[in-house]
Amino acid sequence: MPKQLYGHKNPRSKIPSSTEDSSGWLTLMAGLPEDKRHAAIVRAAEEVSLCLPDGMRDSFAAMLAESAEARRVDCDEAWVALLIELCSDFGVPLGAEEEVEGADEAERAGAVELLAALRRHKVVSREPPPPPPLRQGDAVLAVLQEDGDWHEAIVESLKLPPSGGGAPRVAVRFVEWQKLQETMRHKVISMVEVADDEGAAESEGECEMCHRSMRLTFHHLVPKETHGRYLGKALPPGVSEAARAAGMEPQPSRELLNRYGAMLCRFCHSTVHRFAPNAVLAERFNTVEKLLAQPEIESFVRFASRQRIGKAGRTR
């Protein structure tokens, strides 16, 4: 019997996982019990010789976990800032204790070292924030191993990692081939997550990513929550050139940052925000061209371009 073939012809090379460094996500490890998380934080602090008195170690661990959850810390830069702030609050030096030249750099280096230890002890991971829960029978899109592309599938079951930590794996059955495959949760997207949101539509036209004519939403290529770090300072790399090419004055002003963006359908817009944290989107993926150069986004957009436009997204 010939080997069953799945997916598209001429399959592409495997898409890099968004849990790798390409997307910049760095979040608290999902599913880790509180006591194990706190113990891992203490071990990481000990590994880098952080001078925490015995009576403060548990408090430090609890405060770090609570602060990270409350602030939704999701990238290296945000973690480094949180670690510097927290160590300062606890009176624990990360770098040089005296105010000497280079002390700030030493403090940052200490925070980076502590963050690396937190990764080694599996307190944080490169996985994106946990998406909405799935249930057996849900209609989803999933990445097929054979071609690295998105296809319609049905959730068969959910499996927790043997260690009890980390994101669950999902068993899906692809509709077209009835192939059963187990995959990571971030490679499975509920159809509810990609449904067009009629209330958020701002205009009608052609999506700048998938080129379908439908209702569109405005994507700030420098996300709004990051504007404060650029106002009156330097724009992110590549933004000045792109703004100038679009006929805008490349000044780090609120007017520019609010106008600098792309009109995207809900399908593509949600894909962009699943791909990377806002701080990383602002610094590294601040043009449509840079976004489309990422295999994960290119694959999803290519899938979107082949889909019929439903009632929620149809232009009138």
Side-chain angles (χ1 to χ4, degrees):
M1 179 180 294
K3 183 178 179 180
Q4 174 69 56
L5 298 178
Y6 302 106
H8 295 153
K9 295 180 180 179
N10 303 317
R12 299 176 299 108
S13 58
K14 186 178 179 182
I15 296 175
S17 165
S18 62
T19 61
E20 296 170 1
D21 289 355
S22 62
S23 66
W25 288 112
L26 192 63
T27 59
L28 280 173
M29 180 74 77
L32 196 63
E34 183 178 285
D35 57 340
K36 291 185 177 181
R37 175 177 289 159
H38 290 180
I41 292 173
V42 170
R43 289 196 299 272
E46 291 173 344
E47 182 179 303
V48 299
S49 302
L50 196 66
C51 299
L52 283 168
D54 290 343
M56 294 174 57
R57 293 178 182 178
D58 289 340
S59 298
F60 179 86
M63 184 62 70
L64 177 58
E66 290 172 10
S67 299
E69 287 184 336
R71 300 186 190 184
R72 299 181 181 178
V73 179
D74 57 12
C75 64
D76 294 68
E77 180 182 345
W79 275 102
V80 167
L82 174 59
L83 291 173
I84 290 174
E85 178 185 325
L86 192 61
C87 287
S88 175
D89 290 345
F90 274 77
V92 178
L94 273 169
E97 296 190 46
E98 300 84 11
E99 291 190 9
V100 297
E101 186 176 353
D104 289 345
E105 290 78 2
E107 183 179 53
R108 179 176 176 81
V112 170
E113 184 182 8
L114 177 54
L115 182 56
L118 292 173
R119 287 192 64 187
R120 287 193 293 273
H121 287 275
K122 302 188 185 307
V123 176
V124 296
S125 77
R126 286 294 180 188
E127 293 185 6
L134 291 173
R135 296 175 299 178
Q136 185 177 10
D138 280 356
V140 297
L141 301 176
V143 176
L144 180 68
Q145 291 174 347
E146 282 76 8
D147 66 0
D149 222 339
W150 295 89
H151 301 276
E152 294 181 6
I154 301 295
V155 174
E156 291 279 327
S157 63
L158 301 173
K159 300 181 180 180
L160 290 174
S163 62
R169 295 182 67 85
V170 185
V172 300
R173 188 175 297 279
F174 289 94
V175 174
E176 186 172 350
W177 306 280
Q178 292 300 301
K179 176 185 185 283
L180 186 65
Q181 174 185 299
E182 189 174 298
T183 189
M184 298 298 292
R185 173 63 181 89
H186 69 273
K187 290 189 176 182
V188 179
I189 302 173
S190 168
M191 292 302 292
V192 174
E193 293 179 61
V194 299
D196 291 307
D197 183 352
E198 186 171 0
E202 293 186 356
S203 68
E204 297 179 351
E206 183 178 285
C207 174
E208 294 183 42
M209 293 183 74
C210 71
H211 301 293
R212 293 181 298 168
S213 294
M214 59 194 305
R215 292 198 182 110
L216 306 175
T217 56
F218 184 75
H219 168 61
H220 291 85
L221 286 165
V222 178
K224 291 187 73 172
E225 75 171 38
T226 70
H227 286 185
R229 73 183 63 179
Y230 302 114
L231 288 172
K233 304 172 186 176
L235 291 169
V239 171
S240 293
E241 295 81 355
R244 189 177 292 110
M248 292 184 280
E249 185 67 26
Q251 297 294 328
S253 64
R254 194 174 300 279
E255 179 184 4
L256 171 70
L257 293 173
N258 284 334
R259 290 178 55 208
Y260 180 71
M263 298 304 297
L264 307 179
C265 68
R266 176 60 61 183
F267 208 85
C268 293
H269 200 166
S270 59
T271 299
V272 169
H273 283 288
R274 278 194 305 270
F275 173 68
N278 284 337
V280 177
L281 290 175
E283 283 289 313
R284 294 167 49 190
F285 305 111
N286 48 41
T287 69
V288 171
E289 292 74 20
K290 290 177 182 177
L291 289 167
L292 290 175
Q294 305 309 305
E296 288 176 78
I297 291 183
E298 186 273 337
S299 171
F300 201 86
V301 168
R302 186 153 42 84
F303 176 90
S305 68
R306 300 194 300 263
Q307 305 311 301
R308 292 188 302 110
I309 300 171
K311 291 182 179 180
R314 187 177 297 127
T315 57
R316 294 182 176 86

Coordinates of all heavy atoms in Angstrom, one line a residue, residues 151-217:
H151 N -4.4 23.9 8.7 CA -5.6 23.2 8.1 C -6.7 23.1 9.1 O -6.4 23.1 10.3 CB -5.1 21.8 7.6 CG -4.0 21.8 6.6 ND1 -4.3 22.0 5.3 CD2 -2.7 21.7 6.8 CE1 -3.1 21.9 4.6 NE2 -2.1 21.8 5.5
E152 N -7.9 22.9 8.7 CA -9.0 22.7 9.6 C -8.9 21.3 10.3 O -8.5 20.3 9.6 CB -10.3 22.8 8.8 CG -10.6 24.2 8.2 CD -11.9 24.3 7.5 OE1 -12.7 23.3 7.5 OE2 -12.2 25.3 6.9
A153 N -9.3 21.3 11.5 CA -9.2 20.1 12.3 C -10.2 20.1 13.4 O -10.9 21.1 13.7 CB -7.8 19.9 12.9
I154 N -10.4 19.0 14.1 CA -11.3 18.9 15.3 C -10.4 18.4 16.5 O -9.6 17.5 16.3 CB -12.4 17.8 15.0 CG1 -13.2 18.3 13.8 CG2 -13.3 17.7 16.2 CD1 -14.0 19.6 13.9
V155 N -10.7 19.0 17.6 CA -10.0 18.5 18.8 C -10.5 17.2 19.3 O -11.7 17.0 19.5 CB -10.2 19.5 20.0 CG1 -9.5 19.0 21.3 CG2 -9.6 20.9 19.6
E156 N -9.5 16.2 19.4 CA -9.9 14.9 19.9 C -9.7 14.8 21.4 O -10.5 14.2 22.1 CB -9.0 13.8 19.2 CG -9.3 13.7 17.7 CD -10.5 12.7 17.5 OE1 -10.7 11.8 18.3 OE2 -11.2 13.0 16.5
S157 N -8.6 15.3 21.9 CA -8.3 15.2 23.4 C -7.2 16.2 23.7 O -6.5 16.7 22.9 CB -7.9 13.8 23.8 OG -6.7 13.5 23.1
L158 N -7.1 16.5 25.0 CA -6.1 17.3 25.6 C -5.2 16.5 26.5 O -5.8 15.7 27.3 CB -6.7 18.5 26.4 CG -7.6 19.5 25.6 CD1 -8.2 20.5 26.5 CD2 -6.8 20.2 24.5
K159 N -3.9 16.7 26.5 CA -3.0 15.9 27.3 C -2.1 16.9 28.1 O -1.4 17.7 27.5 CB -2.2 15.0 26.5 CG -3.0 14.0 25.7 CD -2.1 13.0 24.9 CE -3.0 12.0 24.1 NZ -2.1 11.1 23.3
L160 N -2.0 16.7 29.4 CA -1.1 17.5 30.2 C 0.3 16.9 30.2 O 0.4 15.6 30.0 CB -1.6 17.5 31.7 CG -2.8 18.4 32.0 CD1 -3.3 18.2 33.4 CD2 -2.6 19.8 31.6
P161 N 1.3 17.7 30.2 CA 2.7 17.1 30.2 C 2.9 16.2 31.4 O 2.3 16.4 32.5 CB 3.6 18.4 30.4 CG 2.7 19.5 29.9 CD 1.3 19.1 30.3
P162 N 3.7 15.2 31.3 CA 4.0 14.2 32.4 C 4.4 14.9 33.7 O 4.1 14.5 34.8 CB 5.0 13.3 31.8 CG 4.9 13.4 30.3 CD 4.5 14.8 30.1
S163 N 5.2 16.0 33.5 CA 5.8 16.6 34.7 C 4.8 17.5 35.4 O 5.0 17.9 36.6 CB 6.9 17.5 34.3 OG 6.5 18.6 33.4
G164 N 3.6 17.7 34.8 CA 2.6 18.6 35.4 C 2.8 20.0 35.2 O 2.0 20.9 35.5
G165 N 3.9 20.4 34.5 CA 4.2 21.8 34.2 C 4.2 22.0 32.7 O 4.3 21.1 31.9
G166 N 4.0 23.3 32.3 CA 4.0 23.6 30.8 C 2.6 23.5 30.2 O 1.6 23.1 30.9
A167 N 2.6 23.9 29.0 CA 1.3 23.9 28.3 C 0.8 22.5 27.9 O 1.7 21.6 27.6 CB 1.4 24.8 27.0
P168 N -0.5 22.3 27.8 CA -0.9 20.9 27.4 C -0.7 20.7 25.9 O -0.6 21.7 25.1 CB -2.4 21.0 27.7 CG -2.8 22.4 27.6 CD -1.6 23.2 28.2
R169 N -0.6 19.5 25.5 CA -0.6 19.1 24.1 C -2.0 18.7 23.7 O -2.8 18.3 24.5 CB 0.4 17.9 23.9 CG 1.8 18.3 24.2 CD 2.8 17.1 23.9 NE 2.9 16.8 22.5 CZ 3.7 17.5 21.6 NH1 4.5 18.4 22.1 NH2 3.7 17.1 20.4
V170 N -2.2 18.9 22.4 CA -3.6 18.7 21.9 C -3.5 17.7 20.8 O -2.7 17.7 19.9 CB -4.1 20.0 21.3 CG1 -5.6 19.9 20.9 CG2 -4.0 21.2 22.3
A171 N -4.4 16.7 20.9 CA -4.6 15.7 19.8 C -5.7 16.2 18.9 O -6.8 16.4 19.4 CB -4.9 14.3 20.4
V172 N -5.4 16.4 17.6 CA -6.4 16.9 16.7 C -6.5 15.9 15.5 O -5.6 15.1 15.2 CB -6.0 18.3 16.1 CG1 -5.9 19.3 17.2 CG2 -4.7 18.2 15.3
R173 N -7.7 15.9 14.9 CA -7.9 15.1 13.7 C -8.2 16.0 12.5 O -9.1 16.8 12.6 CB -9.0 14.1 13.9 CG -9.2 13.1 12.7 CD -10.2 12.1 13.0 NE -9.9 11.2 14.1 CZ -9.1 10.2 14.1 NH1 -8.5 9.9 13.0 NH2 -8.9 9.5 15.2
F174 N -7.3 16.0 11.5 CA -7.5 16.9 10.4 C -8.7 16.5 9.5 O -8.8 15.3 9.2 CB -6.2 17.0 9.5 CG -5.1 17.7 10.2 CD1 -4.2 17.0 11.0 CD2 -5.0 19.1 10.2 CE1 -3.1 17.6 11.7 CE2 -4.0 19.7 10.8 CZ -3.0 19.0 11.6
V175 N -9.5 17.5 9.2 CA -10.8 17.2 8.5 C -10.5 16.6 7.1 O -11.2 15.6 6.8 CB -11.6 18.5 8.4 CG1 -12.8 18.3 7.5 CG2 -12.0 19.0 9.8
E176 N -9.6 17.1 6.4 CA -9.4 16.7 5.0 C -8.9 15.2 4.9 O -9.3 14.5 4.0 CB -8.5 17.6 4.3 CG -8.3 17.4 2.8 CD -7.5 18.4 2.1 OE1 -7.2 19.5 2.7 OE2 -7.2 18.2 0.9
W177 N -8.0 14.8 5.8 CA -7.4 13.5 5.6 C -7.7 12.6 6.8 O -7.3 11.4 6.8 CB -5.9 13.7 5.6 CG -5.4 14.6 4.5 CD1 -5.3 14.4 3.2 CD2 -5.0 16.0 4.7 NE1 -4.9 15.5 2.6 CE2 -4.7 16.5 3.5 CE3 -5.0 16.8 5.8 CZ2 -4.3 17.8 3.3 CZ3 -4.6 18.1 5.7 CH2 -4.2 18.6 4.4
Q178 N -8.5 13.0 7.8 CA -8.8 12.2 9.0 C -7.5 11.8 9.7 O -7.5 10.7 10.3 CB -9.7 11.1 8.6 CG -11.1 11.5 8.2 CD -11.8 12.2 9.3 OE1 -12.0 11.7 10.4 NE2 -12.2 13.5 9.0
K179 N -6.4 12.5 9.5 CA -5.2 12.2 10.2 C -5.2 12.7 11.6 O -5.5 13.8 11.9 CB -4.0 12.8 9.5 CG -2.6 12.6 10.1 CD -1.5 13.3 9.4 CE -0.2 13.0 10.0 NZ 0.1 13.7 11.3
L180 N -4.8 11.8 12.6 CA -4.7 12.1 14.0 C -3.3 12.6 14.3 O -2.3 11.9 13.9 CB -5.1 10.9 14.9 CG -5.1 11.2 16.4 CD1 -6.3 12.2 16.7 CD2 -5.3 9.9 17.1
Q181 N -3.1 13.7 14.9 CA -1.8 14.3 15.2 C -1.8 14.9 16.6 O -2.8 15.6 17.0 CB -1.4 15.3 14.2 CG -0.1 16.0 14.5 CD 0.2 17.1 13.4 OE1 0.3 16.8 12.2 NE2 0.3 18.3 13.9
E182 N -0.8 14.7 17.4 CA -0.6 15.4 18.6 C 0.3 16.6 18.4 O 1.4 16.5 17.8 CB 0.0 14.5 19.7 CG 0.0 15.0 21.1 CD 0.5 14.0 22.1 OE1 -0.2 13.0 22.2 OE2 1.5 14.2 22.7
T183 N -0.1 17.8 19.0 CA 0.7 19.0 18.7 C 0.7 19.9 19.9 O -0.1 19.7 20.8 CB 0.2 19.7 17.4 OG1 1.1 20.8 17.1 CG2 -1.2 20.3 17.7
M184 N 1.6 20.9 19.9 CA 1.6 21.9 21.0 C 0.4 22.8 20.9 O -0.1 23.1 19.8 CB 2.9 22.7 20.9 CG 4.2 21.9 21.0 SD 4.3 21.1 22.7 CE 4.4 22.6 23.7
R185 N 0.0 23.3 22.1 CA -1.3 24.1 22.1 C -1.1 25.4 21.3 O -2.1 25.8 20.6 CB -1.6 24.5 23.6 CG -2.7 25.5 23.8 CD -4.0 24.9 23.3 NE -5.1 25.9 23.4 CZ -5.5 26.7 22.5 NH1 -4.8 26.9 21.4 NH2 -6.5 27.5 22.7
H186 N 0.1 26.0 21.2 CA 0.2 27.3 20.4 C 0.1 27.0 18.9 O 0.0 28.0 18.2 CB 1.5 28.0 20.8 CG 2.7 27.3 20.3 ND1 3.4 26.3 21.1 CD2 3.4 27.4 19.2 CE1 4.4 25.9 20.4 NE2 4.5 26.6 19.3
K187 N 0.1 25.8 18.5 CA 0.0 25.5 17.1 C -1.5 25.0 16.7 O -1.7 24.5 15.7 CB 1.0 24.4 16.6 CG 2.4 24.9 16.6 CD 3.3 23.9 16.0 CE 4.7 24.4 15.9 NZ 5.6 23.5 15.2
V188 N -2.4 25.3 17.7 CA -3.8 25.0 17.5 C -4.6 26.3 17.8 O -4.4 26.9 18.9 CB -4.3 23.9 18.4 CG1 -5.7 23.6 18.2 CG2 -3.5 22.6 18.1
I189 N -5.4 26.7 16.9 CA -6.2 28.0 17.1 C -7.6 27.7 17.0 O -8.1 27.2 16.0 CB -5.7 29.0 16.1 CG1 -4.3 29.3 16.2 CG2 -6.6 30.3 16.3 CD1 -3.7 30.2 15.1
S190 N -8.4 28.0 18.0 CA -9.8 27.9 17.9 C -10.4 28.8 16.9 O -10.0 29.9 16.7 CB -10.4 28.2 19.3 OG -11.8 28.3 19.2
M191 N -11.4 28.3 16.2 CA -12.1 29.1 15.1 C -12.7 30.3 15.8 O -12.9 31.4 15.1 CB -13.1 28.3 14.4 CG -12.5 27.2 13.5 SD -11.3 27.8 12.3 CE -12.4 28.7 11.2
V192 N -13.0 30.3 17.1 CA -13.6 31.4 17.7 C -12.5 32.5 17.8 O -12.8 33.7 17.7 CB -14.0 31.0 19.2 CG1 -14.5 32.3 19.9 CG2 -15.2 30.0 19.1
E193 N -11.3 32.2 18.0 CA -10.2 33.1 18.1 C -10.0 33.9 16.9 O -9.5 35.0 16.9 CB -8.9 32.4 18.5 CG -8.9 31.8 19.9 CD -7.6 31.2 20.2 OE1 -6.5 31.8 20.2 OE2 -7.6 29.9 20.4
V194 N -10.2 33.3 15.7 CA -10.0 34.0 14.4 C -11.2 34.5 13.8 O -11.2 35.1 12.7 CB -9.2 33.0 13.4 CG1 -7.9 32.6 14.0 CG2 -10.1 31.8 13.1
A195 N -12.3 34.4 14.5 CA -13.6 34.9 13.9 C -13.5 36.5 13.8 O -12.9 37.1 14.7 CB -14.8 34.5 14.7
D196 N -14.1 37.0 12.7 CA -14.0 38.5 12.6 C -14.9 39.1 13.7 O -16.0 38.6 14.0 CB -14.6 38.9 11.2 CG -13.6 38.5 10.1 OD1 -12.4 38.8 10.2 OD2 -14.0 37.8 9.2
D197 N -14.4 40.2 14.2 CA -15.2 40.9 15.3 C -15.8 42.1 14.7 O -15.2 43.1 14.4 CB -14.2 41.3 16.4 CG -14.8 42.0 17.5 OD1 -16.0 42.3 17.4 OD2 -14.1 42.3 18.5
E198 N -17.1 42.0 14.4 CA -17.8 43.1 13.7 C -17.7 44.4 14.4 O -17.6 45.5 13.9 CB -19.3 42.7 13.5 CG -20.0 43.7 12.6 CD -21.4 43.2 12.2 OE1 -21.7 42.1 12.6 OE2 -22.1 43.9 11.5
G199 N -17.7 44.4 15.8 CA -17.7 45.6 16.5 C -16.4 46.4 16.5 O -16.4 47.6 16.7
A200 N -15.3 45.7 16.1 CA -14.0 46.3 16.1 C -13.7 46.9 14.7 O -12.6 47.5 14.5 CB -12.9 45.3 16.5
A201 N -14.5 46.6 13.7 CA -14.2 47.1 12.3 C -14.2 48.6 12.3 O -15.0 49.3 12.8 CB -15.2 46.5 11.4
E202 N -13.2 49.1 11.5 CA -13.0 50.5 11.4 C -13.3 51.0 10.0 O -13.6 52.2 9.8 CB -11.6 51.0 11.8 CG -11.4 50.8 13.3 CD -10.0 51.3 13.7 OE1 -9.3 51.8 12.9 OE2 -9.7 51.3 14.9
S203 N -13.1 50.1 9.0 CA -13.3 50.5 7.6 C -13.4 49.3 6.8 O -13.3 48.2 7.3 CB -12.2 51.4 7.1 OG -11.0 50.7 7.0
E204 N -13.7 49.5 5.5 CA -13.7 48.4 4.6 C -12.7 48.6 3.5 O -12.4 49.7 3.1 CB -15.1 48.2 4.0 CG -16.2 48.0 5.0 CD -17.6 47.9 4.4 OE1 -17.7 48.2 3.2 OE2 -18.5 47.5 5.1
G205 N -12.1 47.5 3.0 CA -11.1 47.6 2.0 C -10.3 46.3 1.9 O -10.8 45.3 2.3
E206 N -9.1 46.4 1.4 CA -8.3 45.2 1.2 C -7.2 45.1 2.3 O -6.5 46.0 2.6 CB -7.5 45.3 -0.2 CG -6.7 44.1 -0.5 CD -6.0 44.1 -1.8 OE1 -6.7 44.0 -2.8 OE2 -4.8 44.4 -1.8
C207 N -7.2 43.9 2.9 CA -6.3 43.7 4.0 C -4.9 43.8 3.5 O -4.6 43.2 2.4 CB -6.5 42.3 4.6 SG -5.3 41.8 5.8
E208 N -4.0 44.4 4.2 CA -2.6 44.6 3.7 C -1.8 43.4 3.8 O -0.6 43.4 3.4 CB -2.0 45.8 4.4 CG -2.6 47.2 4.1 CD -1.9 48.3 4.8 OE1 -0.7 48.3 4.8 OE2 -2.6 49.2 5.3
M209 N -2.3 42.3 4.4 CA -1.5 41.1 4.6 C -2.1 40.0 3.7 O -1.4 39.4 2.9 CB -1.5 40.7 6.1 CG -0.7 41.7 6.9 SD -0.5 41.2 8.6 CE 0.7 39.9 8.5
C210 N -3.4 39.7 3.8 CA -3.9 38.6 3.0 C -4.6 39.0 1.8 O -5.0 38.2 0.9 CB -4.9 37.8 3.9 SG -6.5 38.6 4.2
H211 N -4.8 40.4 1.6 CA -5.3 41.0 0.4 C -6.7 40.6 0.1 O -7.2 40.6 -1.1 CB -4.4 40.7 -0.8 CG -3.0 41.2 -0.6 ND1 -2.7 42.5 -0.5 CD2 -1.8 40.5 -0.4 CE1 -1.4 42.7 -0.3 NE2 -0.8 41.5 -0.2
R212 N -7.5 40.2 1.1 CA -8.9 40.0 0.9 C -9.7 41.3 1.1 O -9.3 42.1 2.0 CB -9.5 38.9 1.9 CG -8.9 37.5 1.6 CD -9.5 36.5 2.6 NE -9.2 36.9 4.0 CZ -9.8 36.3 5.0 NH1 -10.7 35.4 4.9 NH2 -9.4 36.6 6.3
S213 N -10.7 41.5 0.4 CA -11.5 42.7 0.5 C -12.6 42.4 1.6 O -13.5 41.6 1.3 CB -12.2 43.1 -0.8 OG -11.2 43.5 -1.7
M214 N -12.5 43.1 2.7 CA -13.4 42.9 3.8 C -13.3 44.0 4.8 O -12.6 44.9 4.6 CB -13.1 41.5 4.4 CG -11.7 41.4 5.0 SD -11.2 39.7 5.3 CE -12.5 39.2 6.4
R215 N -14.0 43.8 5.9 CA -13.9 44.8 7.0 C -12.5 44.7 7.6 O -12.0 43.6 7.8 CB -15.0 44.5 8.1 CG -16.4 44.8 7.6 CD -17.3 44.9 8.8 NE -18.7 45.2 8.3 CZ -19.7 44.3 8.4 NH1 -19.5 43.1 8.9 NH2 -20.9 44.6 7.9
L216 N -12.0 45.8 8.0 CA -10.6 45.9 8.5 C -10.5 46.6 9.8 O -11.4 47.4 10.2 CB -9.8 46.7 7.5 CG -9.8 46.2 6.0 CD1 -9.0 47.2 5.1 CD2 -9.2 44.8 5.9
T217 N -9.5 46.3 10.5 CA -9.2 47.0 11.8 C -7.8 47.6 11.7 O -6.9 47.1 10.9 CB -9.2 46.1 13.0 OG1 -8.3 45.0 12.8 CG2 -10.6 45.5 13.2

